[in-house]
Amino acid sequence: MITVDYSIEHAARDFWLLVGSELRYPRDLEESVVWALPLDVRKVARLKASNVEATARKVGLPYSFSGTDRRLCGCLLAYNDSGIIFLDAADSEGERRFTLAHELAHFLLDYQAPRKHALDTLGESIRPVLDGLRPATIEERVHAVLDDAPLGVLSHLMERPSGGLPSSAALSVESRADRMALELLAPSAAVSGEAARLRGMAYSARLLRLRQTLESRYGLPPTIAGWHAGRVLHGGGGAGFRDWLLGTDG
């Protein structure tokens, strides 16, 4: 079984309830995002940080990146209750799907949710502070809710790793976005059911079959599918005594 963070599971479920259409796999996330949320999805060939900065300037956003220009898998710019998600058009369909899910997770978890909490707690008078139009007053600063709410433009650059999951996945915020991306595309309940149907097979065969299913049915890119298949089966105990006895797994 997969260990589930129920706040992530509920957030993913709420998003698909908002979409309201019949859910088929692999899920058409791009169409759902544009229809259900104030988000624009833009594909840029060989996406770089400078592409994001140029777009920000065009739409009047006070955003600039630090460091040298570099290739990206994706990027989120969120502002004034809306945002833009950039994807590298040169990536495969599966890679773009996972990148979009990852950036959507950042929008829902790290921008929209804390912003809504701040507005619910402090009222509409705090909106100019959240939008970066005025500084918070001394009285407003004492509210811990502002510590979690993004002020002004929220940006997230999804770095292009040399292989495997994004290099920043060890950081808690990135790990959480990865987990929600998987929950959006391949819900834990459905994937646990897929794994359960493979019981009785050798571990290596289960790993291969589940990875193939995550790629073909759920549309995950190969590296993510392989990592997630191992994670799911490890949560179910991994290779067992039967596998060791048959000499089919290490």
Side-chain angles (χ1 to χ4, degrees):
M1 297 292 290
I2 306 173
T3 301
V4 180
D5 180 331
Y6 287 101
S7 64
I8 288 175
E9 184 183 46
H10 291 159
R13 185 182 303 155
D14 287 347
F15 170 76
W16 289 117
L17 287 174
L18 180 64
V19 172
S21 59
E22 183 180 356
L23 302 182
R24 298 178 180 176
Y25 299 108
R27 289 178 166 174
D28 188 349
L29 188 58
E30 181 176 347
E31 181 178 333
S32 299
V33 164
V34 173
W35 184 87
L37 294 170
L39 285 171
D40 184 20
V41 178
R42 302 190 184 185
K43 301 185 188 73
V44 179
R46 299 184 63 81
L47 177 67
K48 292 183 178 181
S50 56
N51 300 131
V52 177
E53 187 173 33
T55 299
R57 285 198 301 268
K58 287 180 181 178
V59 297
L61 293 180
Y63 166 78
S64 63
F65 68 91
S66 59
T68 58
D69 196 12
R70 55 200 182 273
R71 287 283 307 280
L72 302 171
C73 290
C75 177
L76 166 70
L77 287 182
Y79 55 95
N80 297 353
D81 291 319
S82 62
I84 303 171
I85 292 178
F86 298 83
L87 304 174
D88 190 340
D91 283 343
S92 69
E93 183 179 2
E95 289 168 334
R96 292 197 307 271
R97 181 182 288 110
F98 183 79
T99 299
L100 176 55
H102 179 98
E103 300 302 349
L104 171 60
H106 277 300
F107 181 80
L108 295 173
L109 298 175
D110 302 319
Y111 181 77
Q112 194 177 68
R115 184 179 171 91
K116 181 179 184 302
H117 182 47
L119 287 167
D120 289 346
T121 302
L122 301 176
E124 281 295 319
S125 63
I126 203 65
R127 188 180 292 275
V129 176
L130 298 178
D131 291 342
L133 300 178
R134 69 169 176 84
T137 65
I138 294 176
E139 292 78 9
E140 289 167 341
R141 286 181 208 153
V142 303
H143 290 277
V145 67
L146 284 184
D147 293 338
D148 296 324
L151 305 181
V153 178
L154 179 144
S155 67
H156 170 263
L157 303 178
M158 188 171 178
E159 304 288 353
R160 181 167 294 282
S162 58
L165 287 178
S167 59
S168 57
L171 300 175
S172 60
V173 66
E174 296 304 318
S175 178
R176 186 172 70 151
D178 285 338
R179 295 198 308 275
M180 182 163 176
L182 289 167
E183 191 65 28
L184 285 163
L185 300 175
S188 53
V191 176
S192 293
E194 302 278 6
R197 286 190 283 274
L198 302 177
R199 288 174 185 162
M201 299 171 61
Y203 179 76
S204 59
R206 280 183 285 148
L207 185 64
L208 176 61
R209 286 281 297 276
L210 187 57
R211 177 183 64 76
Q212 291 172 336
T213 298
L214 289 172
E215 287 185 54
S216 61
R217 177 170 171 75
Y218 297 95
L220 298 184
T223 303
I224 300 298
W227 174 82
H228 192 41
R231 173 176 173 260
V232 171
L233 295 183
H234 179 75
F241 176 73
R242 175 180 178 276
D243 300 307
W244 174 83
L245 185 66
L246 293 175
T248 55
D249 297 275

